[in-house]
Amino acid sequence: MKLIGTLTSPYVRKARLVLLEKNIAHEFVVDPPQGSLVLQANPMGRIPALILDDGFCVFDSTVIADYVDTLNDTPILIPRTDTIARLRVKRWEALADGVMDSAVVVRTERMRADDKQDESVLKLHNTAISNALDYAAGLLGSKEWCEGESVTLADLALVGALIYLDLRQPERDWRSAHPNLSTWFAKMMKRASVIAASDS
Ligand SMILES: N[C@@H](CCC(=O)N[C@@H](CS)C(=O)NCC(=O)O)C(=O)O
């Protein structure tokens, strides 16, 4: 299978982390949003897109993660039988995706000329990010993993969101505000999958 995307997209990183954690053979092809290869796989031109060996195209990182997790059990990243455990992991994913969504909006807004930037948009989305990080830190507490006793999609989605925040908002000192997230993040950054997907 082929995963298409860029090196910096947080959604792409999440999909890459899932493939790498589960050791699924794949080719990672770099193509930007609206690129010719992406458009063959996703009519909306968004990344990531996954092209299966039979040509079937899967898009949206949540759908890709859900599908890839069914391919083997080593490890299971989204609980399958305990519906509440599954819900909790998927809610973490939604929280991390929310941080990604708002960070992308802030980045897009900041790329406009200074006099064209909408302060209310920046404020809305920066506040959403701050609130999401407060919430994540509270949920994590002193636990080793976001959910359960081992790595799940929750951890992979959150680390992807925080790597993107560090890239686009290096001035945001979330580590001082949330030392528990900082400790968890430092440990996640040493995982083989995270190192392998950090080639940007
Ligand atoms: N909900 C989607 C979001 C994907 C997304 O918006 N990706 C961005 C790149 S970071 C993109 O392709 N933007 C281009 C566009 O919206 O046209 C997912 O999780 O895959």
Side-chain angles (χ1 to χ4, degrees), residues 9-11 14 33-34 44-48 60-62 97 101 104:
S9 162
Y11 313 98
K14 176 176 53 157
Q34 312 302 332
M44 292 158 292
R46 294 192 189 127
I47 52 171
D60 199 292
S61 64
T62 55
D97 284 5
D101 295 345
V104 167

